[in-house]
PDB file of all heavy atoms in Angstrom:
ATOM      1  N   ARG A 403      39.858  49.124 104.301  1.00 97.00           N
ATOM      2  CA  ARG A 403      40.915  49.399 103.329  1.00 97.00           C
ATOM      3  C   ARG A 403      40.791  48.528 102.081  1.00 97.00           C
ATOM      4  O   ARG A 403      41.721  47.811 101.693  1.00 97.00           O
ATOM      5  CB  ARG A 403      42.294  49.246 103.961  1.00 97.00           C
ATOM      6  CG  ARG A 403      42.640  50.307 104.980  1.00 97.00           C
ATOM      7  CD  ARG A 403      42.497  51.725 104.424  1.00 97.00           C
ATOM      8  NE  ARG A 403      43.282  51.999 103.231  1.00 97.00           N
ATOM      9  CZ  ARG A 403      44.514  52.485 103.260  1.00 97.00           C
ATOM     10  NH1 ARG A 403      45.098  52.760 104.425  1.00 97.00           N
ATOM     11  NH2 ARG A 403      45.153  52.730 102.130  1.00 97.00           N
ATOM     12  N   GLU A 404      39.646  48.618 101.435  1.00 98.00           N
ATOM     13  CA  GLU A 404      39.418  47.821 100.227  1.00 98.00           C
ATOM     14  C   GLU A 404      40.392  48.176  99.112  1.00 98.00           C
ATOM     15  O   GLU A 404      40.629  47.358  98.211  1.00 98.00           O
ATOM     16  CB  GLU A 404      37.973  47.995  99.755  1.00 98.00           C
ATOM     17  CG  GLU A 404      36.960  47.400 100.715  1.00 98.00           C
ATOM     18  CD  GLU A 404      35.523  47.535 100.234  1.00 98.00           C
ATOM     19  OE1 GLU A 404      35.306  47.998  99.092  1.00 98.00           O
ATOM     20  OE2 GLU A 404      34.609  47.179 100.999  1.00 98.00           O
ATOM     21  N   ASP A 405      40.964  49.379  99.170  1.00 97.00           N
ATOM     22  CA  ASP A 405      41.935  49.773  98.151  1.00 97.00           C
ATOM     23  C   ASP A 405      43.220  48.962  98.238  1.00 97.00           C
ATOM     24  O   ASP A 405      44.030  48.990  97.303  1.00 97.00           O
ATOM     25  CB  ASP A 405      42.264  51.262  98.274  1.00 97.00           C
ATOM     26  CG  ASP A 405      42.747  51.644  99.662  1.00 97.00           C
ATOM     27  OD1 ASP A 405      42.056  51.311 100.652  1.00 97.00           O
ATOM     28  OD2 ASP A 405      43.803  52.291  99.772  1.00 97.00           O
ATOM     29  N   LYS A 406      43.397  48.238  99.336  1.00 96.00           N
ATOM     30  CA  LYS A 406      44.591  47.403  99.494  1.00 96.00           C
ATOM     31  C   LYS A 406      44.376  45.978  98.983  1.00 96.00           C
ATOM     32  O   LYS A 406      45.272  45.141  99.081  1.00 96.00           O
ATOM     33  CB  LYS A 406      45.006  47.345 100.970  1.00 96.00           C
ATOM     34  CG  LYS A 406      45.390  48.704 101.574  1.00 96.00           C
ATOM     35  CD  LYS A 406      46.652  49.253 100.949  1.00 96.00           C
ATOM     36  CE  LYS A 406      47.113  50.529 101.638  1.00 96.00           C
ATOM     37  NZ  LYS A 406      48.340  51.086 101.006  1.00 96.00           N
ATOM     38  N   ALA A 407      43.195  45.703  98.432  1.00 96.00           N
ATOM     39  CA  ALA A 407      42.903  44.349  97.947  1.00 96.00           C
ATOM     40  C   ALA A 407      43.854  43.930  96.836  1.00 96.00           C
ATOM     41  O   ALA A 407      44.185  42.753  96.679  1.00 96.00           O
ATOM     42  CB  ALA A 407      41.462  44.266  97.459  1.00 96.00           C
ATOM     43  N   HIS A 408      44.281  44.896  96.048  1.00 97.00           N
ATOM     44  CA  HIS A 408      45.232  44.649  94.961  1.00 97.00           C
ATOM     45  C   HIS A 408      45.983  45.948  94.735  1.00 97.00           C
ATOM     46  O   HIS A 408      45.417  47.040  94.871  1.00 97.00           O
ATOM     47  CB  HIS A 408      44.492  44.229  93.686  1.00 97.00           C
ATOM     48  CG  HIS A 408      45.373  43.733  92.580  1.00 97.00           C
ATOM     49  ND1 HIS A 408      46.235  44.561  91.868  1.00 97.00           N
ATOM     50  CD2 HIS A 408      45.528  42.481  92.045  1.00 97.00           C
ATOM     51  CE1 HIS A 408      46.869  43.847  90.945  1.00 97.00           C
ATOM     52  NE2 HIS A 408      46.451  42.585  91.025  1.00 97.00           N
ATOM     53  N   ARG A 409      47.248  45.827  94.376  1.00 95.00           N
ATOM     54  CA  ARG A 409      48.075  47.027  94.183  1.00 95.00           C
ATOM     55  C   ARG A 409      47.469  47.985  93.164  1.00 95.00           C
ATOM     56  O   ARG A 409      47.649  49.200  93.245  1.00 95.00           O
ATOM     57  CB  ARG A 409      49.473  46.583  93.743  1.00 95.00           C
ATOM     58  CG  ARG A 409      50.477  47.709  93.555  1.00 95.00           C
ATOM     59  CD  ARG A 409      51.809  47.127  93.141  1.00 95.00           C
ATOM     60  NE  ARG A 409      52.764  48.165  92.754  1.00 95.00           N
ATOM     61  CZ  ARG A 409      53.941  47.905  92.204  1.00 95.00           C
ATOM     62  NH1 ARG A 409      54.310  46.646  91.988  1.00 95.00           N
ATOM     63  NH2 ARG A 409      54.748  48.896  91.868  1.00 95.00           N
ATOM     64  N   PHE A 410      46.724  47.430  92.199  1.00 97.00           N
ATOM     65  CA  PHE A 410      46.128  48.266  91.149  1.00 97.00           C
ATOM     66  C   PHE A 410      44.603  48.212  91.170  1.00 97.00           C
ATOM     67  O   PHE A 410      43.960  48.454  90.157  1.00 97.00           O
ATOM     68  CB  PHE A 410      46.673  47.869  89.781  1.00 97.00           C
ATOM     69  CG  PHE A 410      48.089  48.342  89.554  1.00 97.00           C
ATOM     70  CD1 PHE A 410      49.166  47.591  89.987  1.00 97.00           C
ATOM     71  CD2 PHE A 410      48.339  49.557  88.947  1.00 97.00           C
ATOM     72  CE1 PHE A 410      50.469  48.029  89.803  1.00 97.00           C
ATOM     73  CE2 PHE A 410      49.630  50.009  88.757  1.00 97.00           C
ATOM     74  CZ  PHE A 410      50.706  49.244  89.186  1.00 97.00           C
ATOM     75  N   ALA A 411      44.027  47.920  92.351  1.00 97.00           N
ATOM     76  CA  ALA A 411      42.570  48.002  92.484  1.00 97.00           C
ATOM     77  C   ALA A 411      42.121  49.451  92.426  1.00 97.00           C
ATOM     78  O   ALA A 411      41.056  49.771  91.883  1.00 97.00           O
ATOM     79  CB  ALA A 411      42.127  47.361  93.795  1.00 97.00           C
ATOM     80  N   TRP A 412      42.935  50.342  92.994  1.00 97.00           N
ATOM     81  CA  TRP A 412      42.633  51.786  93.001  1.00 97.00           C
ATOM     82  C   TRP A 412      43.844  52.497  92.435  1.00 97.00           C
ATOM     83  O   TRP A 412      44.938  52.427  93.002  1.00 97.00           O
ATOM     84  CB  TRP A 412      42.366  52.236  94.440  1.00 97.00           C
ATOM     85  CG  TRP A 412      41.949  53.657  94.600  1.00 97.00           C
ATOM     86  CD1 TRP A 412      40.764  54.213  94.234  1.00 97.00           C
ATOM     87  CD2 TRP A 412      42.712  54.723  95.203  1.00 97.00           C
ATOM     88  NE1 TRP A 412      40.736  55.558  94.571  1.00 97.00           N
ATOM     89  CE2 TRP A 412      41.917  55.890  95.173  1.00 97.00           C
ATOM     90  CE3 TRP A 412      43.982  54.799  95.775  1.00 97.00           C
ATOM     91  CZ2 TRP A 412      42.352  57.116  95.686  1.00 97.00           C
ATOM     92  CZ3 TRP A 412      44.420  56.010  96.281  1.00 97.00           C
ATOM     93  CH2 TRP A 412      43.600  57.147  96.235  1.00 97.00           C
ATOM     94  N   MET A 413      43.669  53.175  91.296  1.00 96.00           N
ATOM     95  CA  MET A 413      44.835  53.728  90.604  1.00 96.00           C
ATOM     96  C   MET A 413      44.525  55.060  89.922  1.00 96.00           C
ATOM     97  O   MET A 413      44.803  55.249  88.746  1.00 96.00           O
ATOM     98  CB  MET A 413      45.371  52.719  89.586  1.00 96.00           C
ATOM     99  CG  MET A 413      44.299  52.063  88.731  1.00 96.00           C
ATOM    100  SD  MET A 413      44.922  51.207  87.284  1.00 96.00           S
ATOM    101  CE  MET A 413      45.477  52.563  86.278  1.00 96.00           C
ATOM    102  N   PRO A 414      43.917  56.008  90.637  1.00 95.00           N
ATOM    103  CA  PRO A 414      43.603  57.290  89.998  1.00 95.00           C
ATOM    104  C   PRO A 414      44.843  58.091  89.632  1.00 95.00           C
ATOM    105  O   PRO A 414      44.766  59.016  88.808  1.00 95.00           O
ATOM    106  CB  PRO A 414      42.781  58.013  91.065  1.00 95.00           C
ATOM    107  CG  PRO A 414      43.255  57.441  92.351  1.00 95.00           C
ATOM    108  CD  PRO A 414      43.518  55.990  92.047  1.00 95.00           C
ATOM    109  N   PHE A 415      45.994  57.757  90.247  1.00 94.00           N
ATOM    110  CA  PHE A 415      47.234  58.473  89.959  1.00 94.00           C
ATOM    111  C   PHE A 415      48.170  57.656  89.071  1.00 94.00           C
ATOM    112  O   PHE A 415      49.358  57.971  88.961  1.00 94.00           O
ATOM    113  CB  PHE A 415      47.948  58.834  91.267  1.00 94.00           C
ATOM    114  CG  PHE A 415      47.115  59.655  92.203  1.00 94.00           C
ATOM    115  CD1 PHE A 415      46.563  59.093  93.337  1.00 94.00           C
ATOM    116  CD2 PHE A 415      46.857  60.992  91.938  1.00 94.00           C
ATOM    117  CE1 PHE A 415      45.786  59.848  94.211  1.00 94.00           C
ATOM    118  CE2 PHE A 415      46.086  61.756  92.794  1.00 94.00           C
ATOM    119  CZ  PHE A 415      45.543  61.184  93.940  1.00 94.00           C
ATOM    120  N   GLY A 416      47.634  56.612  88.428  1.00 94.00           N
ATOM    121  CA  GLY A 416      48.488  55.764  87.620  1.00 94.00           C
ATOM    122  C   GLY A 416      49.294  54.822  88.491  1.00 94.00           C
ATOM    123  O   GLY A 416      48.900  54.473  89.610  1.00 94.00           O
ATOM    124  N   GLY A 417      50.450  54.401  87.992  1.00 94.00           N
ATOM    125  CA  GLY A 417      51.287  53.476  88.742  1.00 94.00           C
ATOM    126  C   GLY A 417      52.595  53.243  88.027  1.00 94.00           C
ATOM    127  O   GLY A 417      52.811  53.704  86.901  1.00 94.00           O
ATOM    128  N   GLY A 418      53.480  52.542  88.691  1.00 94.00           N
ATOM    129  CA  GLY A 418      54.786  52.274  88.112  1.00 94.00           C
ATOM    130  C   GLY A 418      55.652  53.517  88.091  1.00 94.00           C
ATOM    131  O   GLY A 418      55.447  54.474  88.845  1.00 94.00           O
ATOM    132  N   ALA A 419      56.612  53.543  87.173  1.00 95.00           N
ATOM    133  CA  ALA A 419      57.589  54.640  87.109  1.00 95.00           C
ATOM    134  C   ALA A 419      56.944  55.978  86.782  1.00 95.00           C
ATOM    135  O   ALA A 419      57.495  57.030  87.102  1.00 95.00           O
ATOM    136  CB  ALA A 419      58.659  54.315  86.065  1.00 95.00           C
ATOM    137  N   HIS A 420      55.764  55.961  86.159  1.00 95.00           N
ATOM    138  CA  HIS A 420      55.105  57.206  85.749  1.00 95.00           C
ATOM    139  C   HIS A 420      53.958  57.590  86.679  1.00 95.00           C
ATOM    140  O   HIS A 420      53.114  58.414  86.308  1.00 95.00           O
ATOM    141  CB  HIS A 420      54.594  57.096  84.313  1.00 95.00           C
ATOM    142  CG  HIS A 420      55.685  57.163  83.289  1.00 95.00           C
ATOM    143  ND1 HIS A 420      56.434  56.069  82.931  1.00 95.00           N
ATOM    144  CD2 HIS A 420      56.175  58.208  82.571  1.00 95.00           C
ATOM    145  CE1 HIS A 420      57.322  56.426  82.009  1.00 95.00           C
ATOM    146  NE2 HIS A 420      57.187  57.715  81.784  1.00 95.00           N
ATOM    147  N   LYS A 421      53.918  57.041  87.873  1.00 95.00           N
ATOM    148  CA  LYS A 421      52.882  57.448  88.825  1.00 95.00           C
ATOM    149  C   LYS A 421      52.955  58.951  89.053  1.00 95.00           C
ATOM    150  O   LYS A 421      54.046  59.532  89.107  1.00 95.00           O
ATOM    151  CB  LYS A 421      53.060  56.705  90.148  1.00 95.00           C
ATOM    152  CG  LYS A 421      51.899  56.888  91.113  1.00 95.00           C
ATOM    153  CD  LYS A 421      52.037  55.966  92.318  1.00 95.00           C
ATOM    154  CE  LYS A 421      50.823  56.074  93.229  1.00 95.00           C
ATOM    155  NZ  LYS A 421      50.914  55.136  94.368  1.00 95.00           N
ATOM    156  N   CYS A 422      51.803  59.586  89.181  1.00 94.00           N
ATOM    157  CA  CYS A 422      51.720  61.046  89.264  1.00 94.00           C
ATOM    158  C   CYS A 422      52.663  61.609  90.326  1.00 94.00           C
ATOM    159  O   CYS A 422      52.562  61.258  91.507  1.00 94.00           O
ATOM    160  CB  CYS A 422      50.291  61.458  89.568  1.00 94.00           C
ATOM    161  SG  CYS A 422      50.087  63.232  89.809  1.00 94.00           S
ATOM    162  N   ILE A 423      53.553  62.490  89.907  1.00 95.00           N
ATOM    163  CA  ILE A 423      54.544  63.055  90.816  1.00 95.00           C
ATOM    164  C   ILE A 423      53.924  64.116  91.730  1.00 95.00           C
ATOM    165  O   ILE A 423      54.452  64.409  92.802  1.00 95.00           O
ATOM    166  CB  ILE A 423      55.717  63.662  90.008  1.00 95.00           C
ATOM    167  CG1 ILE A 423      56.942  63.877  90.903  1.00 95.00           C
ATOM    168  CG2 ILE A 423      55.307  64.960  89.326  1.00 95.00           C
ATOM    169  CD1 ILE A 423      58.204  64.234  90.129  1.00 95.00           C
ATOM    170  N   GLY A 424      52.775  64.669  91.332  1.00 94.00           N
ATOM    171  CA  GLY A 424      52.147  65.726  92.115  1.00 94.00           C
ATOM    172  C   GLY A 424      50.939  65.283  92.905  1.00 94.00           C
ATOM    173  O   GLY A 424      50.110  66.109  93.285  1.00 94.00           O
ATOM    174  N   LEU A 425      50.824  63.979  93.193  1.00 95.00           N
ATOM    175  CA  LEU A 425      49.611  63.481  93.836  1.00 95.00           C
ATOM    176  C   LEU A 425      49.382  64.095  95.217  1.00 95.00           C
ATOM    177  O   LEU A 425      48.249  64.366  95.610  1.00 95.00           O
ATOM    178  CB  LEU A 425      49.602  61.962  93.892  1.00 95.00           C
ATOM    179  CG  LEU A 425      50.678  61.222  94.685  1.00 95.00           C
ATOM    180  CD1 LEU A 425      50.222  60.931  96.111  1.00 95.00           C
ATOM    181  CD2 LEU A 425      51.029  59.884  94.008  1.00 95.00           C
ATOM    182  N   HIS A 426      50.456  64.336  95.986  1.00 96.00           N
ATOM    183  CA  HIS A 426      50.283  64.927  97.320  1.00 96.00           C
ATOM    184  C   HIS A 426      49.848  66.388  97.210  1.00 96.00           C
ATOM    185  O   HIS A 426      48.977  66.843  97.956  1.00 96.00           O
ATOM    186  CB  HIS A 426      51.581  64.807  98.118  1.00 96.00           C
ATOM    187  CG  HIS A 426      52.015  63.395  98.359  1.00 96.00           C
ATOM    188  ND1 HIS A 426      51.219  62.494  99.035  1.00 96.00           N
ATOM    189  CD2 HIS A 426      53.133  62.721  97.988  1.00 96.00           C
ATOM    190  CE1 HIS A 426      51.840  61.312  99.082  1.00 96.00           C
ATOM    191  NE2 HIS A 426      52.990  61.436  98.453  1.00 96.00           N
ATOM    192  N   PHE A 427      50.442  67.123  96.258  1.00 95.00           N
ATOM    193  CA  PHE A 427      50.020  68.504  96.035  1.00 95.00           C
ATOM    194  C   PHE A 427      48.550  68.546  95.639  1.00 95.00           C
ATOM    195  O   PHE A 427      47.779  69.391  96.117  1.00 95.00           O
ATOM    196  CB  PHE A 427      50.875  69.165  94.961  1.00 95.00           C
ATOM    197  CG  PHE A 427      50.353  70.501  94.518  1.00 95.00           C
ATOM    198  CD1 PHE A 427      50.548  71.628  95.299  1.00 95.00           C
ATOM    199  CD2 PHE A 427      49.635  70.627  93.337  1.00 95.00           C
ATOM    200  CE1 PHE A 427      50.041  72.867  94.912  1.00 95.00           C
ATOM    201  CE2 PHE A 427      49.133  71.865  92.931  1.00 95.00           C
ATOM    202  CZ  PHE A 427      49.337  72.980  93.726  1.00 95.00           C
ATOM    203  N   GLY A 428      48.140  67.650  94.743  1.00 95.00           N
ATOM    204  CA  GLY A 428      46.759  67.625  94.290  1.00 95.00           C
ATOM    205  C   GLY A 428      45.785  67.387  95.430  1.00 95.00           C
ATOM    206  O   GLY A 428      44.742  68.058  95.524  1.00 95.00           O
ATOM    207  N   MET A 429      46.102  66.431  96.324  1.00 97.00           N
ATOM    208  CA  MET A 429      45.232  66.162  97.465  1.00 97.00           C
ATOM    209  C   MET A 429      45.133  67.388  98.370  1.00 97.00           C
ATOM    210  O   MET A 429      44.043  67.756  98.848  1.00 97.00           O
ATOM    211  CB  MET A 429      45.754  64.960  98.246  1.00 97.00           C
ATOM    212  CG  MET A 429      44.940  64.622  99.497  1.00 97.00           C
ATOM    213  SD  MET A 429      43.239  64.092  99.168  1.00 97.00           S
ATOM    214  CE  MET A 429      43.514  62.394  98.632  1.00 97.00           C
ATOM    215  N   LEU A 430      46.252  68.069  98.597  1.00 97.00           N
ATOM    216  CA  LEU A 430      46.248  69.264  99.447  1.00 97.00           C
ATOM    217  C   LEU A 430      45.409  70.382  98.832  1.00 97.00           C
ATOM    218  O   LEU A 430      44.662  71.077  99.530  1.00 97.00           O
ATOM    219  CB  LEU A 430      47.683  69.740  99.684  1.00 97.00           C
ATOM    220  CG  LEU A 430      48.555  68.830 100.559  1.00 97.00           C
ATOM    221  CD1 LEU A 430      50.026  69.223 100.432  1.00 97.00           C
ATOM    222  CD2 LEU A 430      48.115  68.889 102.014  1.00 97.00           C
ATOM    223  N   GLU A 431      45.531  70.564  97.514  1.00 97.00           N
ATOM    224  CA  GLU A 431      44.761  71.616  96.857  1.00 97.00           C
ATOM    225  C   GLU A 431      43.268  71.360  96.951  1.00 97.00           C
ATOM    226  O   GLU A 431      42.477  72.257  97.275  1.00 97.00           O
ATOM    227  CB  GLU A 431      45.176  71.746  95.385  1.00 97.00           C
ATOM    228  CG  GLU A 431      44.410  72.825  94.650  1.00 97.00           C
ATOM    229  CD  GLU A 431      44.750  72.930  93.181  1.00 97.00           C
ATOM    230  OE1 GLU A 431      45.624  72.180  92.701  1.00 97.00           O
ATOM    231  OE2 GLU A 431      44.137  73.780  92.497  1.00 97.00           O
ATOM    232  N   VAL A 432      42.847  70.127  96.669  1.00 98.00           N
ATOM    233  CA  VAL A 432      41.422  69.804  96.719  1.00 98.00           C
ATOM    234  C   VAL A 432      40.901  69.930  98.151  1.00 98.00           C
ATOM    235  O   VAL A 432      39.797  70.453  98.384  1.00 98.00           O
ATOM    236  CB  VAL A 432      41.175  68.385  96.154  1.00 98.00           C
ATOM    237  CG1 VAL A 432      39.717  67.983  96.336  1.00 98.00           C
ATOM    238  CG2 VAL A 432      41.547  68.331  94.677  1.00 98.00           C
ATOM    239  N   LYS A 433      41.683  69.479  99.112  1.00 98.00           N
ATOM    240  CA  LYS A 433      41.266  69.634 100.514  1.00 98.00           C
ATOM    241  C   LYS A 433      41.106  71.107 100.886  1.00 98.00           C
ATOM    242  O   LYS A 433      40.144  71.490 101.546  1.00 98.00           O
ATOM    243  CB  LYS A 433      42.296  68.987 101.446  1.00 98.00           C
ATOM    244  CG  LYS A 433      42.153  67.492 101.631  1.00 98.00           C
ATOM    245  CD  LYS A 433      43.106  67.022 102.717  1.00 98.00           C
ATOM    246  CE  LYS A 433      42.884  65.578 103.081  1.00 98.00           C
ATOM    247  NZ  LYS A 433      43.780  65.144 104.191  1.00 98.00           N
ATOM    248  N   ALA A 434      42.070  71.942 100.475  1.00 98.00           N
ATOM    249  CA  ALA A 434      42.001  73.363 100.806  1.00 98.00           C
ATOM    250  C   ALA A 434      40.742  73.988 100.237  1.00 98.00           C
ATOM    251  O   ALA A 434      40.046  74.778 100.917  1.00 98.00           O
ATOM    252  CB  ALA A 434      43.244  74.080 100.280  1.00 98.00           C
ATOM    253  N   LEU A 435      40.410  73.656  99.026  1.00 98.00           N
ATOM    254  CA  LEU A 435      39.248  74.228  98.362  1.00 98.00           C
ATOM    255  C   LEU A 435      37.952  73.778  99.039  1.00 98.00           C
ATOM    256  O   LEU A 435      37.078  74.604  99.360  1.00 98.00           O
ATOM    257  CB  LEU A 435      39.281  73.816  96.897  1.00 98.00           C
ATOM    258  CG  LEU A 435      38.502  74.638  95.888  1.00 98.00           C
ATOM    259  CD1 LEU A 435      39.042  74.387  94.492  1.00 98.00           C
ATOM    260  CD2 LEU A 435      37.030  74.295  95.929  1.00 98.00           C
ATOM    261  N   LEU A 436      37.811  72.475  99.281  1.00 98.00           N
ATOM    262  CA  LEU A 436      36.587  71.964  99.894  1.00 98.00           C
ATOM    263  C   LEU A 436      36.462  72.417 101.345  1.00 98.00           C
ATOM    264  O   LEU A 436      35.349  72.674 101.834  1.00 98.00           O
ATOM    265  CB  LEU A 436      36.562  70.438  99.799  1.00 98.00           C
ATOM    266  CG  LEU A 436      36.444  69.868  98.379  1.00 98.00           C
ATOM    267  CD1 LEU A 436      36.607  68.354  98.402  1.00 98.00           C
ATOM    268  CD2 LEU A 436      35.106  70.237  97.745  1.00 98.00           C
ATOM    269  N   HIS A 437      37.580  72.525 102.041  1.00 98.00           N
ATOM    270  CA  HIS A 437      37.563  73.020 103.420  1.00 98.00           C
ATOM    271  C   HIS A 437      36.962  74.424 103.482  1.00 98.00           C
ATOM    272  O   HIS A 437      36.088  74.703 104.328  1.00 98.00           O
ATOM    273  CB  HIS A 437      38.993  73.024 103.975  1.00 98.00           C
ATOM    274  CG  HIS A 437      39.161  73.800 105.234  1.00 98.00           C
ATOM    275  ND1 HIS A 437      38.712  73.351 106.459  1.00 98.00           N
ATOM    276  CD2 HIS A 437      39.723  75.023 105.473  1.00 98.00           C
ATOM    277  CE1 HIS A 437      38.996  74.251 107.392  1.00 98.00           C
ATOM    278  NE2 HIS A 437      39.605  75.266 106.819  1.00 98.00           N
ATOM    279  N   GLU A 438      37.401  75.314 102.596  1.00 98.00           N
ATOM    280  CA  GLU A 438      36.861  76.670 102.592  1.00 98.00           C
ATOM    281  C   GLU A 438      35.380  76.673 102.230  1.00 98.00           C
ATOM    282  O   GLU A 438      34.596  77.451 102.780  1.00 98.00           O
ATOM    283  CB  GLU A 438      37.652  77.550 101.627  1.00 98.00           C
ATOM    284  CG  GLU A 438      39.090  77.807 102.032  1.00 98.00           C
ATOM    285  CD  GLU A 438      39.213  78.624 103.312  1.00 98.00           C
ATOM    286  OE1 GLU A 438      38.242  79.319 103.690  1.00 98.00           O
ATOM    287  OE2 GLU A 438      40.284  78.562 103.938  1.00 98.00           O
ATOM    288  N   MET A 439      34.979  75.809 101.313  1.00 98.00           N
ATOM    289  CA  MET A 439      33.560  75.722 100.966  1.00 98.00           C
ATOM    290  C   MET A 439      32.734  75.248 102.157  1.00 98.00           C
ATOM    291  O   MET A 439      31.641  75.768 102.421  1.00 98.00           O
ATOM    292  CB  MET A 439      33.361  74.774  99.780  1.00 98.00           C
ATOM    293  CG  MET A 439      33.812  75.334  98.445  1.00 98.00           C
ATOM    294  SD  MET A 439      33.418  74.243  97.057  1.00 98.00           S
ATOM    295  CE  MET A 439      31.618  74.239  97.102  1.00 98.00           C
TER     296      MET A 439
END
Side-chain angles (χ1 to χ4, degrees):
R403 291 306 303 269
E404 293 182 6
D405 55 308
K406 298 293 186 181
H408 190 290
R409 182 179 172 188
F410 285 86
W412 184 70
M413 45 165 291
F415 303 106
H420 286 83
K421 190 172 184 177
C422 176
I423 197 170
L425 63 93
H426 298 301
F427 170 78
M429 178 65 77
L430 291 166
E431 180 183 358
V432 174
K433 277 188 172 183
L435 201 160
L436 293 173
H437 166 74
E438 293 294 340
M439 287 185 64

